[in-house]
Every structure is written in structure tokens, then in C-alpha cells.
Amino acid sequence: MKTFKNITILFLLFMAGVYTGCKKDPVMYGKGFESFKFIVKDALDANKEYEGIINGDEIVVQLPTEVDVTNLKASFLMDNPRTIVQVGSEVQESGITEQDFTNPVSYRVKAEDKSTRSYSVRVEKKVAFQSFGFYKEDNPGLEEDYKAVIRGLIIDIAVHETVDITKLVARFQTTTGAIIKVGAVTQESKVTPNNFNSPVAYTFTDAGLPASVDFKVALSFIGPKWWMIGDKSIIGSESSNLKMAIHPFTKYPYLVYIRSGKDENGAVIPDEKEKIAVISYTGTGWKNVGNPEGFSDDESDLAQIAFDDLGVPYVGYKDYYKDEQKATVLKYSNENWVPVGNKNFSPVKLGKFSFTIGEFNRPIAAAAASAVAPGYARQAIYVAANMDDQWNSITPSITNPLIGGVQVFKGLDGKTYMAVLDRSSNLSMYKYTDNTWKPVGPVSFRTSDGLPGFTSVIGAASADGTVYIGFQTVSANQRLNRVMKFNGTTWEELGSAGNSQDQTDKYALAVDPTGKLYFGFANTTGLYVRTFNDQTKNWNTPRMVVSGKINAFDMQVSPDGIPYLAVTTTTDKKITVYKYTNTK
């Protein structure tokens, strides 16, 4: 009887356990947030906590105006530690996973029984911009709408380079009661235009703020950007007279420069040591091509660099050896720079000087005489080509042989060209054909306003033989950059290329393999590059690449269509190089 009683008790205990085990634990299957908050740093770098208010399936968190909501990390506590919290398909970890809370974010909580519950998490600011953009409905020149990303007090917005950013009208929405100004001008959404060439500060005033707050609109461009290659330590010394050429096979830049100012140790470089040096980019870094302390015999100036079709680099320069100041050309052979023909071969001292490797791998040099020489007046043009290691004059007979500027160059069509600015401030372009310089269209021309050309001239030619000429004119002490194209009949000006203010001869012209035209220029605020828009028949908005006063720069386009810039500024005279690509 006792045994039966014990068995009955054990059975009842067993059944009670089974019953209890089968009953669902409400905690294990809960899907609620106990807390939800953001921890952000304030202006003093101290952590501040902002608790969310949980009301049913909605969580609202109040944040200060200056907090960037595009990359917040939520810290939360669940009533059931076994739940899985997701945004979309991404599992969320408390205090770790970032989300953009510009718009409400849906959090999905999944319990062990696979049941789910969704919460909408919304950030509110008592005073803020809620949206900002440029819309084609408000800007007749736009072809599409552009919407900004608001990151605290920074408004980021990207547009295409074809957009005229000098008079854009913004459409924006703010919290109720805000007064917005740019400078002293009250802003009205969809009405007030502004110039976004530089960052624009929208001053936000509201009764809920102890003081006004500035929201800065940082405009960028969609597509390629100018990326620095390396840093400012690619050479140790200071430099001047910077020029660049692109290797035809590696498609990387080579730079020629004059070591000047201070050397690697901060010591002043004497005049006789101001020699030519060359560096090249390897794809991962920079290396010297020849002696890093310079390889010319003496002081040098007006250095140029070019490649032949085999990828051999050449340099041409004004050689101060024995103070002759004449032309010397060297080429890089067997890890040494060796002369091409005689050194100091020109019969004239060089004023202006230009050098290239032309058609048939022929080295060509052009100059304006800086002093009277037998057969040459001061400022007379002199042009020579090297054939069979001998320099021979190929000086053209032109209407005005006294010149103020000259550039010889090889176009992408493989032909040799020469741009000339004569002493009457007129322009001409020539093409070397059948051992003769033949005019490209009319000679001795100017722009339609009749302003004279000023001190220098540059040129470029596309793969299809379209020829361009660039120069500066002066009006009210302003250097106005001009670019003209030969249209098959006459020379026509291409829009307004830009104002260099008081900066003389700091401009460059290049064309890529597709025919896209690039123009670079420096003024007192920095270095800018712009492209020509074939649809509007004008130049796109210039992009500032380097701020501050520019000492020297050059621009070239590689055979695969990548533009490069080499730059020195007046502040440190160190070389920096940039490339224009979609990714760094």
C-alpha cells in the first residue's frame, strides 16, 4: 500500500512537471523594447544620452539641432534577450550598428516562435532644416532634381558639373517659426537664388534657440573628382618651373622641375645649383629619374619635358652654362641624361622657350630671342628640329617675326603644331607639314572684342585634328583667359574661360582622347579646372582643386583619358600631383 502511494505521488509530480514545461513563458516570447536611446558627443566631446519615448509601436527621440542623424548608433534593451532585432535583413547590435535616421527607420523584432513585431523609430528636432534641394521646377536650367543629405549643421548636396551653380534656387523645409538668412538676405524656399561657387551659410534664427545657428551648404560634383597622388613630400627640395608629360605606355606622369629655394635640409640653393631634376610616378609612389640633386651642368630655366613614341623621355631647357642662356635638349638613355646634338645649340639667347617631340619622333624647339644675335633681332622667332643628331633651323617666314610667346606641341592626331603670339599681340597657329610650317586658318587674328594677346600662348589638338589656341588678354588690370577653336573656316571663341585676376601666364589647355576639352587657370584664390560643354557652347562651372596662391602648375591628359595636375603653391613651393578619376 505504501509502495502504491509513493508511485502515485511520483506520477503526480511528473505530470505537474510536464504541464509546467508545456506552458509558454511570456518573457521568452516577448518582443518589446524596454529602452531605446542615442549616445552622442557634445561640443566638448562629452557623451550625452537622449532617451526615446516608446509609445506602442512608435519610438520618438528628441535630438539637438547640431546632431548628425545620418550615422547614429542606437543603444537599446529588450524585454526578451533571446529576440533578434533587424532593420531590413541586417541584424542590429545595441550601441554598435549604425543607421541613417534622416527618415523614420523600421525595426523588426523576432521572437523564438518566429512571431514578429515592428517599431517605427523617428528622430525629431525642435529646430532644424528638414529637407533641402535644388529642383528643376524652381531652376529652369536644371535637367533633374538634386536632394541634399543633412548632417547636423552641414548640408551636403552633389550636382553634375554641367549645372550653373552661380544662381541656384533652393527648395527647403524647416521646423515651424524659423527665419532663414544668407548674409542680410531673407531666404524664401523655391524663390531666393544664391551663388554656390563657395560654401553658403544659411543663418537659422528661431525662438527655441538661444542664439542663431549657421547651416553650411557644401556643394560637390557628381562623377570624377580631383584626388591627390601621395602627398607634398614627393620631392625634398622646393621647386620652380614645373612641367609634366605622360608616359605613352605606363600612362603615368613624369615631372620636370628646377630645384630652387631651399634644399632637403632647409639650406638655400645657390643659383649655380638650380638644376633640372625629373621624377616619375610608378603607380604606387614616386622615383627619381636621374640625379635627385639635378643633372644639368649649371643653372637652368624654362624646362620642358616630352616623350617619343618609344617612351623615351626628353627635356629641353634654357642652359646657363657659361652664361650662354641657349637651348639644350637631353634624353634619358641607359639610366643617364645625354645630350641630343650639341648642348647650347641655339644661335640666340632664349627669352620664351618651348620644346616637344613632334611627328616622326623629331625633337623640336622654339624660342624668342632675348637679345640681338647674328641674323636675329631681339624677340625674333627661332625654331629648330633635330635630325640625325644635328639641330637645323626650321624657322618659318611669318608676317611678324618678332614674337611675345610661342608653343610647339604634338596634337593627339600625331601632327606637330606651333602657336604664336606676335609682338603686335596677334595670334597665329601653324602645322608642320611636308617640312613646312603651314597656317591653320587665318593668321594674325584676335578675339571679336579686339583686345590684344598678352605675353604667352598655348595650344592643343584633338585626335580628329580640331585645333585650339589659348591665351590671355588684359582689361582693367585683369588677365582674362581666352580659348579659340578653328572651325574649318575661321577662329571662333569658346565661351568665357575664366578670370585669372592679376595672375599672368598661369593657365593650361588639354584635350582627352574623346575630344573633351579641359582648361585650368589660377587666380588669387586658387587653381581651377573646367570643361567645355558642347551642348551649351560654354564652359562648365570651374572646380577649385587647390586653394591659395599658385606658384606654378601644369595639366596633361593620359592616353587612357585621365587628366593630371602638377602644382606648387607660393606658400611652400612643394610639388603636389592630382588625378581626375571616379575613385582614388
Side-chain angles (χ1 to χ4, degrees), residues 45 54 88 128 131 140 185 226 300 325 346 349 368 371 385 483 508 514 516 532 548 550-551 578:
D45 206 35
I54 304 171
S131 65
V185 179
W226 287 101
S300 305
Q325 301 181 36
S346 61
K349 289 187 175 184
V483 177
T514 69
K516 187 173 185 178
F532 190 72
I550 304 302
N551 184 50
Y578 300 81

Side-chain angles (χ1 to χ4, degrees), residues 9-24:
I9 293 171
L10 289 172
F11 176 75
L12 292 173
L13 290 171
F14 172 74
M15 292 303 295
V18 170
Y19 175 77
T20 303
C22 293
K23 188 176 181 180
K24 288 187 177 181

Side-chain angles (χ1 to χ4, degrees), residues 414-473:
K415 305 301 181 181
T416 307
Y417 294 89
M418 180 171 62
V420 176
L421 171 68
D422 66 33
R423 292 295 291 174
S424 298
S425 301
N426 298 317
L427 299 148
S428 300
M429 180 70 74
Y430 299 89
K431 181 178 180 180
Y432 198 63
T433 305
D434 298 327
N435 296 320
T436 303
W437 290 105
K438 297 182 179 180
V440 178
V443 298
S444 301
F445 56 87
R446 293 187 181 186
T447 50
S448 59
D449 57 15
L451 288 175
F454 183 72
T455 76
S456 64
V457 65
I458 56 178
S462 65
D464 66 1
T466 302
V467 186
Y468 304 90
I469 194 167
F471 55 100
Q472 289 183 318
T473 58

Side-chain angles (χ1 to χ4, degrees), residues 484-495:
M484 302 182 79
K485 179 181 80 170
F486 182 61
N487 63 15
T489 303
T490 189
W491 287 90
E492 61 181 13
E493 186 167 12
L494 301 180

Side-chain angles (χ1 to χ4, degrees), residues 241-243 256-258 276 300-305 315-318 353:
N241 195 139
L242 177 64
K243 292 294 180 181
V256 62
Y257 59 95
I258 307 296
I276 288 179
S300 305
D301 198 7
L302 306 178
Q304 314 271 316
I305 184 168
V315 294
Y317 58 97
K318 179 179 181 178
F353 176 69

Side-chain angles (χ1 to χ4, degrees), residues 143-191:
E143 296 181 356
E144 60 183 276
D145 298 334
Y146 300 95
K147 298 178 182 180
V149 176
I150 301 172
R151 307 180 191 278
L153 299 179
I154 301 298
I155 300 175
D156 284 336
I157 188 164
V159 300
H160 288 98
E161 65 175 10
T162 54
V163 172
D164 180 1
I165 64 174
T166 63
K167 49 186 178 182
L168 284 173
V169 173
R171 179 186 297 190
F172 53 83
Q173 185 174 353
T174 69
T175 48
T176 304
I179 298 174
I180 311 296
K181 290 186 177 183
V182 172
V185 179
T186 300
Q187 302 295 295
E188 185 177 348
S189 177
K190 302 191 287 186
V191 174

Side-chain angles (χ1 to χ4, degrees), residues 545-579:
V545 183
V546 180
S547 63
K549 205 164 184 178
I550 304 302
N551 184 50
F553 83 95
D554 196 15
M555 178 174 65
Q556 301 290 336
V557 179
S558 70
D560 54 356
I562 297 176
Y564 288 88
L565 278 171
V567 188
T568 62
T569 63
T570 57
T571 53
D572 59 16
K573 297 183 181 178
K574 294 292 183 72
I575 296 174
T576 53
V577 180
Y578 300 81
K579 66 177 181 178

